[in-house]
Amino acid sequence: MSEEKTNQEEMIKQLTARVEALEENAPGDNLSLGVISGDLDYTIATFIIALGATAYDMEVDLFFTFWGISALRDPKKKAKKDFLGRMFGAMLPSSSRKLPLSKMQMMGMGPPMIRSVMKMHKAKSLEELMADAAAFGVRIHVCEMSMDVMGIKKEELIDYPHMDFVGVGSFVDMFQNSKQCWFM
């Protein structure tokens, strides 16, 4: 065998090994969304994007933190809280149905108006989008530190089949292993 052919074969082996290593360590076909805003329009957009990604067979992880957690509160559920927790509870929206808009509040008429316009255009409500997300396996991860800071308890959140409670390390790992990462 000629020296040139031996060199080519060795180079092909090395390149093949490098490609295999890259493929092995490549991020998965995942989308991770960090949900920081507690605004109705941002939360609706989050779930529309999440469902769109599932239509492309992507796995989707939503990391809810700070104001975003308000969308996950269930107004029918109560939890025992200290004074500060009760104060935050009174100031934060009690559910997804009470979220404000990021713009054009119009003295409180903005959220009902956008919901009405969406219904008129046969667009799904936030609550319907959330139910679809649950059915399609979209995972929700809730920031434990934000819950502690804001006085939110697990017992007062919605029932969602793919929900867990995590710290920032899980959030960083989730984003590191995703093909795409966005913040809403």
Side-chain angles (χ1 to χ4, degrees):
M1 202 183 271
S2 74
E3 187 176 326
E4 186 178 325
K5 187 165 176 99
T6 304
N7 287 341
Q8 286 177 345
E9 288 176 356
E10 184 58 34
M11 190 181 299
I12 289 172
K13 277 185 188 177
Q14 289 175 359
L15 288 172
T16 301
R18 288 175 65 187
V19 168
E20 287 172 354
L22 286 170
E23 287 176 345
E24 188 176 308
N25 295 312
D29 204 12
N30 297 20
L31 170 65
S32 292
L33 300 172
V35 186
I36 298 169
S37 169
D39 297 321
L40 177 63
D41 44 332
Y42 281 79
T43 308
I44 289 170
T46 296
F47 281 95
I48 290 171
I49 292 166
L51 288 165
T54 64
Y56 285 92
D57 292 327
M58 293 181 80
E59 291 187 28
V60 179
D61 290 287
L62 307 178
F63 181 78
F64 279 78
T65 188
F66 285 99
W67 314 115
I69 299 171
S70 294
L72 304 176
R73 293 180 69 199
D74 185 334
K76 297 178 199 127
K77 294 183 176 181
K78 303 296 178 211
K80 187 174 180 169
K81 297 182 179 189
D82 61 15
F83 176 74
L84 198 55
R86 288 192 305 274
M87 292 302 294
F88 265 109
M91 292 185 288
L92 291 170
S94 61
S95 72
S96 61
R97 295 196 183 280
K98 300 291 184 185
L99 297 177
L101 283 178
S102 63
K103 305 210 181 318
M104 300 189 317
Q105 279 293 39
M106 297 182 288
M107 296 186 289
M109 291 305 301
M113 191 179 339
I114 195 72
R115 285 179 179 275
S116 175
V117 169
M118 288 177 67
K119 189 173 187 175
M120 190 170 57
H121 289 280
K122 297 184 178 19
K124 291 187 175 190
S125 70
L126 172 56
E127 295 72 26
E128 291 168 320
L129 293 168
M130 291 169 84
D132 287 352
F136 284 101
V138 172
R139 295 178 295 265
I140 291 178
H141 311 278
V142 185
C143 179
E144 290 176 316
M145 186 213 49
S146 293
M147 287 177 62
D148 290 344
V149 167
M150 301 182 82
I152 297 173
K153 305 288 185 189
K154 293 176 184 178
E155 300 82 34
E156 66 182 298
L157 298 183
I158 61 171
D159 295 323
Y160 190 90
H162 317 288
M163 183 187 295
D164 63 4
F165 304 90
V166 301
V168 72
S170 296
F171 166 74
V172 171
D173 188 51
M174 174 192 345
F175 274 48
Q176 181 178 349
N177 293 309
S178 291
K179 191 176 281 185
Q180 298 180 45
C181 307
W182 302 357
F183 287 87
M184 306 295 283

